[in-house]
Amino acid sequence: MATSPNKPASLPEHVAIIMDGNGRWAKGKGLPRLAGHRQGAKSVRNAIEHARKLGIHFLTLYAFSTENWDRPEREVSGLMKLLEEYLRGETSNLVKNGIRLKVIGDVERLPSGLRNLLLHTIDVTARCTGMTLVLALSYGGRGEIVKAAVNLANRCVAGELTPQDIDEGVFESALFTCDIPDPDLLIRTSNEFRISNFLLWQLAYAELVFTEVCWPDFDASEFDRCLEEFASRERRFGRTSEQCLTKEA
Ligand code: FPP
């Protein structure tokens, strides 16, 4: 779902975060990388809580990319365990706080224990309406776009669609994110200035905010600072400043 222009830019409806810097945070403290991820999981809890309190409707967290499978096996299995622990410990809180869980990515590649926990949490939070938490797991933007193209090609072969039917709306409907709006704000922590194969289609008109804070140190005040930066931006969606000011169609 694309974002419409001229929407007041004060509070983003959808915030996406590339949670980077766990490894460097740990290294700086002489700790193993997994200690950084563990501390990062605490920041995840805090960020969710803060976003919910502020009234942000969608929060998408890049927790594990397709490319992260190439990390050392110890780190990958440690991260999978951490995600399992997180779901075991937090599912009841998600329900209590009205937070619906959604997962985007190649879930089939995840260990079956984690997959089952995810399915359980998705199921028990399905009717929650306070905020949607989207976890990007085994996710890659290019892979998502290719998957959508294959899906549409198959539908054309099956006679359900013709190539002429395919426009941006139809294409979006084949993405993992078909039922959620595009992010208004992308935050990346740890002084890195890349998109890293995250939501390549959906970030077309997102405001990008980069902070030097490593993810394990990302707290409510840093979140607020990023939101203030977002609020100071003029979102023109290709129009002129004057058009936006007069809300001209
Ligand atoms: C990037 O930092 C972070 C990751 C690849 C994993 C993110 C995982 C968490 C924040 C914890 C678990 C998540 C949830 C949802 C409970 P990096 O390791 O690339 O840091 P570096 O660039 O400093 O090495």
Side-chain angles (χ1 to χ4, degrees):
M1 267 194 274
T3 317
S4 56
N6 297 328
K7 191 173 173 288
S10 49
L11 189 71
E13 184 182 22
H14 184 175
V15 178
I17 308 184
I18 301 180
M19 311 182 288
D20 198 9
N22 293 351
R24 275 163 287 155
W25 180 91
K27 194 173 179 188
K29 294 188 157 25
L31 297 169
R33 292 181 57 83
L34 271 172
H37 294 314
R38 192 164 288 283
Q39 193 64 30
K42 291 186 185 162
S43 298
V44 166
R45 282 187 203 97
N46 295 338
I48 294 169
E49 176 61 7
H50 196 55
R52 186 193 63 83
K53 274 195 191 147
L54 290 173
I56 289 166
H57 293 138
F58 297 88
L59 178 68
T60 297
L61 302 176
Y62 202 8
F64 195 84
S65 71
T66 315
E67 291 74 22
N68 287 153
W69 287 114
D70 295 332
R71 290 196 175 194
E73 146 65 19
R74 233 169 93 92
E75 183 168 344
V76 171
S77 59
L79 272 166
M80 295 299 138
K81 280 205 190 82
L82 197 53
L83 286 159
E84 284 190 21
E85 270 174 40
Y86 171 80
L87 290 168
R88 282 212 178 83
E90 286 299 307
T91 297
S92 58
N93 272 338
L94 294 179
V95 175
K96 195 173 80 192
N97 292 318
I99 299 171
R100 174 175 76 122
L101 178 69
K102 181 179 166 69
V103 177
I104 57 172
D106 186 2
V107 182
E108 292 304 311
R109 271 186 93 176
L110 299 171
S112 59
L114 174 58
R115 229 172 36 231
N116 290 337
L117 278 167
L118 285 166
L119 290 175
H120 170 72
T121 308
I122 289 167
D123 186 41
V124 298
T125 62
R127 275 177 210 85
C128 294
T129 55
M131 182 176 88
T132 298
L133 167 67
V134 184
L135 287 184
L137 288 170
S138 190
Y139 174 86
R142 287 182 173 179
E144 178 184 30
I145 290 169
V146 169
K147 198 174 155 74
V150 170
N151 175 298
L152 295 174
N154 282 332
R155 288 174 62 197
C156 286
V157 170
E160 296 166 20
L161 271 183
T162 67
Q164 292 70 32
D165 293 329
I166 301 172
D167 58 12
E168 290 187 14
V170 170
F171 200 88
E172 273 176 353
S173 72
L175 295 171
F176 293 129
T177 51
C178 56
D179 53 353
I180 56 176
D182 290 344
D184 303 292
L185 166 64
L186 170 76
I187 300 172
R188 183 170 188 148
T189 58
S190 84
N191 224 16
E192 300 286 357
F193 309 97
R194 289 184 293 279
I195 299 297
S196 298
N197 204 12
F198 188 40
L199 299 175
L200 296 180
W201 172 285
Q202 299 86 342
L203 290 174
Y205 271 101
E207 294 297 322
L208 311 183
V209 171
F210 300 96
T211 164
E212 62 185 25
V213 168
C214 285
W215 178 251
D217 287 330
F218 188 87
D219 57 12
S221 66
E222 192 54 26
F223 202 160
D224 286 341
R225 204 198 58 71
C226 295
L227 292 170
E228 273 165 32
E229 191 169 333
F230 171 82
S232 74
R233 305 270 178 92
E234 182 187 53
R235 303 189 76 196
R236 293 193 293 276
F237 298 92
R239 297 176 185 214
T240 67
S241 205
E242 290 70 25
Q243 280 179 304
C244 294
L245 283 171
T246 57
K247 296 204 187 309
E248 203 178 290

